[in-house]
Amino acid sequence: MRLVFLGPPGAGKGTQAERLCRDMNWAHVSTGDLLREAVAEASELGLKAVEFMKSGRLVPDDLVVSLVAERLKRDDCTEGFVLDGFPRTVVQAEMLEETLDTLDIRLDRVLYFATDREVIITRLSGRRICRDCGANYHVTNIPPKVEGVCDRCGGELYQRDDDRPETVQKRLVVYEEQTAPLIRFYEERGLLKELSGNLEVEEGQAAIRTALGVPAEREP
Ligand code: AP5
């Protein structure tokens, strides 16, 4: 299946996409992760993107679309993929349609995670990420076994720069202005399915699978 996960920051797109893709053997394509990797490597793209990301603004469309177009050509996308955090503007969505046309493939579904503002703020303020493997935790909702240490690899957990309260507010404004219009865009194409982003992780995963008609998780 070829899917888009759409929703505000903190809707749980990354958490649910990672889990679904690991189990279904689909590629999890997160533009946020790809951009953070580029920043960490200080590549040409990373140097261009870093200031936009730090301030909670969107990275220019052409940079992000070419990143995704290259990623979709990799072999691991053949079985299926989830685009997480992309597209984020109507221009990106139109450019994605062109890219998929050239690859002769189509999107199957766009899942939109409608999420309350208080839920978003609580999740983002408590998010912690592993510096080494990128695993995602939450200080109270999904805590690691040992505070500050990754369960999977023992790496150090840190807080993302853009999860500071003032940047979160900016990201929410940017979402409403530039990304929320995609709900209508995909509704008009008959691809949109709305789910709640407020659910617990397990419940949310089950709702996604029911919506897609795929079997229950083998190993939660
Ligand atoms: P990106 O990394 O994509 O950030 P985002 O969309 O703001 O999304 P988040 O990662 O904040 O939220 P999420 O919905 O994935 O939630 P998560 O699962 O992590 O983008 C960062 C920046 O990169 C952008 O601001 C922009 O500058 C740039 N960028 C990226 N894509 C771009 C594009 N296409 N165009 C232009 N610029 C782009 O969960 C959040 C927290 O909640 C975690 O701690 C998690 O453990 C916890 N949690 C998750 N689910 C649950 C649950 N069900 N119950 C309890 N806790 C939960």
Side-chain angles (χ1 to χ4, degrees):
M1 266 193 187
R2 300 175 184 112
L3 308 170
V4 167
F5 279 13
L6 175 67
K13 306 179 297 292
T15 303
Q16 297 295 3
E18 200 269 332
R19 218 164 144 149
L20 180 68
C21 289
R22 186 164 17 104
D23 190 54
M24 299 300 292
N25 205 22
W26 296 338
H28 174 198
V29 179
S30 154
T31 41
D33 288 349
L34 293 171
L35 289 166
R36 278 184 289 278
E37 276 166 33
V39 170
E41 288 163 4
S43 66
E44 197 183 331
L45 168 67
L47 295 174
K48 285 181 187 159
V50 68
E51 287 310 320
F52 292 99
M53 296 176 73
K54 267 193 187 163
S55 62
R57 287 173 297 150
L58 295 183
V59 173
D61 292 332
D62 53 334
L63 297 181
V64 185
V65 173
S66 48
L67 187 68
V68 173
E70 280 311 304
R71 180 65 186 82
L72 291 181
K73 288 181 194 155
R74 282 181 28 194
D75 289 346
D76 64 340
C77 292
T78 321
E79 290 294 309
F81 55 76
V82 175
L83 295 175
D84 159 15
F86 178 90
R88 273 285 226 284
T89 64
V90 170
V91 172
Q92 289 182 17
E94 288 167 348
M95 290 169 90
L96 174 63
E97 286 183 335
E98 286 167 25
T99 303
L100 295 179
D101 274 348
T102 63
L103 297 172
D104 203 20
I105 54 179
R106 301 274 171 276
L107 288 177
D108 293 298
R109 202 75 57 84
V110 174
L111 299 188
Y112 160 53
F113 298 92
T115 313
D116 293 343
R117 201 177 173 92
E118 316 82 80
V119 172
I120 293 172
I121 304 290
T122 309
R123 286 191 188 158
L124 295 185
S125 58
R127 169 163 52 193
R128 298 292 181 270
I129 312 276
C130 175
R131 261 190 214 290
D132 297 335
C133 73
N136 195 328
Y137 298 88
H138 187 278
V139 288
T140 51
N141 298 346
I142 310 170
K145 292 189 183 103
V146 178
E147 193 184 326
V149 180
C150 178
D151 293 348
R152 275 198 213 158
C153 75
E156 181 200 357
L157 303 186
Y158 77 102
Q159 181 168 35
R160 260 168 57 174
D161 275 351
D162 61 350
D163 280 345
R164 286 192 304 258
E166 63 284 8
T167 318
V168 168
Q169 297 303 334
K170 173 71 184 167
R171 285 163 64 200
L172 288 171
V173 171
V174 168
Y175 171 78
E176 284 304 329
E177 288 177 358
Q178 300 191 54
T179 307
L182 289 176
I183 297 168
R184 178 88 185 273
F185 180 93
Y186 284 118
E187 231 164 25
E188 285 171 358
R189 282 157 177 74
L191 289 172
L192 197 86
K193 170 79 185 162
E194 179 173 332
L195 296 175
S196 170
N198 297 329
L199 304 176
E200 295 296 318
V201 178
E202 309 282 332
E203 275 180 291
Q205 184 68 207
I208 290 169
R209 285 165 181 265
T210 303
L212 297 175
V214 300
E217 222 171 352
R218 277 169 290 196
E219 222 181 281

